[in-house]
């Protein structure tokens, strides 16, 4: 009876050792990211409640901040959308909402600052005349529609620079109408790129993941952020796994994020 089970035992042991060997093999290429968030400065999130398509309730924003604090995140730029469809999101209004929210979250061990994500649409020049909510007085986060770029895109980018700002293009990997040549054209015109970190995990689909992987490999990104919009993003923080070369590149970007916190 015992002898009849030898082939099965052999197969189990073979599977076990092969599995262990495969785990060791994959660990050479993938890295757990439990320390990726420690000390992080996040440059893109929609945590300011009740102003855009991000968090609706301040209680949920507070809950997310407490979660992020537990992960080790230490600094966050809140970057609400500013666009024609959100007429209330003017500089003064957002500053008032930010100050109120900052007081509400005073006990959470994360530093908060206000910036914004500007859509380069028909109201952009009016918003720029009010004074842009930038990261550091210089770098300003901008985006375009996911369907197509505005016809006057390069004129707007030029005018941003002529007003003393550096345009930081949010999540360039998500704009399917640009190929790599088109994206490189933006870089050549003085734009900096901000990676949505979860693009590397396929959160936005295979095309943004592929483009993000290529841009990261080409060292085209300058900063990185999470672009979180709700509590539903929490599981991704634990699930995220990057290849070792990606992990090293992201750590470099996180260091450049800190340079915006002046």
């Amino acid at each position: 009876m015992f002898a009849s089970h030898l082939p099965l035992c052999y197969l189990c042991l073979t599977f076990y050792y092969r599995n262990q060997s495969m785990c060791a093999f994959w660990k050479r290429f993938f890295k757990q990211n439990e320390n990726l968030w420690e000390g992080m400065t996040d440059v893109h999130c929609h945590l300011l409640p009740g102003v855009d398509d991000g968090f609706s309730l301040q209680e949920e924003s507070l809950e997310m901040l407490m979660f992020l604090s537990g992960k080790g995140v230490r600094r966050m730029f809140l970057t609400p959308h500013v666009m024609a469809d959100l007429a209330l999101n003017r500089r003064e209004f957002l500053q008032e909402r930010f100050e109120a929210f900052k007081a509400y979250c005073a006990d959470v061990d994360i530093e908060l600052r206000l910036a914004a994500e500007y859509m380069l649409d028909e109201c952009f020049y009016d918003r720029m005349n009010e004074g842009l909510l930038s990261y550091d007085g210089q770098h300003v986060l901008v985006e375009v529609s996911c369907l197509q770029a505005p016809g006057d895109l390069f004129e707007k980018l030029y005018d941003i620079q002529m007003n003393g700002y550096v345009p930081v293009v949010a999540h360039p990997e998500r704009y399917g109408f640009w190929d790599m040549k088109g994206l490189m054209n933006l870089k050549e015109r003085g734009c900096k790129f901000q990676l949505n970190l979860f693009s590397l995990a396929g959160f936005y689909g295979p095309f943004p993941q592929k483009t993000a992987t290529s841009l990261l490999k080409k060292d085209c990104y300058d900063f990185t952020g999470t672009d979180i919009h709700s509590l539903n993003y929490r599981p991704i923080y634990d699930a995220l796994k990057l290849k070792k070369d990606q992990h090293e590149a992201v750590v470099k970007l996180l260091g450049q994020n800190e340079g915006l916190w002046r």
Side-chain angles (χ1 to χ4, degrees):
M1 178 68 71
F2 176 77
S4 67
H5 289 282
L6 281 177
L8 180 59
C9 293
Y10 175 77
L11 288 173
C12 291
L13 286 171
T14 301
F15 174 80
Y16 172 78
Y17 284 116
R18 283 183 178 176
N19 189 54
Q20 293 295 98
S21 177
M22 286 297 293
C23 286
F25 174 79
W26 286 113
K27 283 181 180 177
R28 293 168 52 197
F29 295 95
F30 290 87
K31 190 165 184 175
Q32 295 288 340
N33 298 295
E34 56 268 13
N35 294 323
L36 187 63
W37 317 109
E38 188 67 38
M40 180 185 186
T41 298
D42 194 343
V43 302
H44 188 173
C45 74
H46 295 273
L47 200 70
L48 187 63
V51 297
D52 60 12
D53 62 341
F55 286 77
S56 299
L57 304 175
Q58 63 179 3
E59 293 82 3
E60 292 184 348
S61 294
L62 175 60
E63 185 176 345
M64 190 68 182
L65 276 177
M66 293 173 66
F67 168 82
L68 295 174
S69 178
K71 290 294 179 187
V73 177
R74 289 294 170 260
R75 294 168 294 274
M76 299 187 76
F77 285 100
L78 309 191
T79 54
H81 288 291
V82 176
M83 58 177 66
D85 290 343
L86 297 170
L88 287 178
N89 282 9
R90 312 288 285 263
R91 181 186 178 98
E92 184 176 346
F93 171 78
L94 291 175
Q95 286 176 326
E96 290 175 357
R97 295 297 295 263
F98 172 73
E99 292 301 328
F101 178 66
K102 187 177 178 181
Y104 178 75
C105 300
D107 292 335
V108 182
D109 188 23
I110 293 183
E111 295 181 72
L112 302 177
R113 290 186 183 175
L114 179 65
E117 181 181 14
Y118 288 92
M119 179 70 73
L120 297 180
D121 59 14
E122 63 270 23
C123 78
F124 176 73
Y125 283 116
D126 288 339
R127 304 300 178 262
M128 186 162 65
N129 289 336
E130 295 173 359
L132 297 177
L133 293 167
S134 66
Y135 291 120
D136 55 356
Q138 181 181 15
H139 294 84
V140 59
L141 189 65
V142 300
E143 66 171 341
V144 299
S145 167
C146 288
L147 300 177
Q148 64 180 10
D152 60 351
L153 172 65
F154 295 119
E155 179 182 347
K156 283 190 170 87
L157 293 175
Y158 176 78
D159 289 339
I160 289 170
Q161 293 167 318
M162 290 302 294
N163 278 271
Y165 295 102
V166 177
V168 179
V169 178
H171 44 67
E173 69 274 4
R174 295 180 59 190
Y175 302 120
F177 50 82
W178 274 319
D179 57 14
M180 195 59 65
K181 182 179 179 181
L183 292 172
M184 291 304 97
N185 189 22
L186 293 176
K187 293 290 288 186
E188 292 168 2
R189 290 174 181 266
C191 293
K192 295 189 176 182
F193 284 0
Q194 174 258 309
L195 164 69
N196 270 14
L197 190 52
F198 299 137
S199 293
L200 296 172
F203 181 75
Y204 304 98
F207 178 82
Q209 182 180 29
K210 181 179 179 181
T211 304
T213 299
S214 297
L215 289 173
L216 189 65
K217 189 173 183 178
K218 293 176 181 292
D219 196 27
C220 292
Y221 285 113
D222 302 279
F223 312 106
T224 187
T226 58
D227 198 5
I228 54 174
H229 279 68
S230 73
L231 288 170
N232 294 332
Y233 283 68
R234 287 178 296 184
I236 316 174
Y237 283 82
D238 292 322
L240 181 66
K241 292 181 177 62
L242 303 177
K243 294 179 180 179
K244 285 191 174 181
D245 59 336
Q246 292 178 331
H247 188 277
E248 292 169 0
V250 167
V251 168
K252 177 183 175 182
L253 294 179
L254 290 172
Q256 292 170 189
N257 283 7
E258 294 179 14
L260 296 175
W261 198 273
R262 298 177 180 175

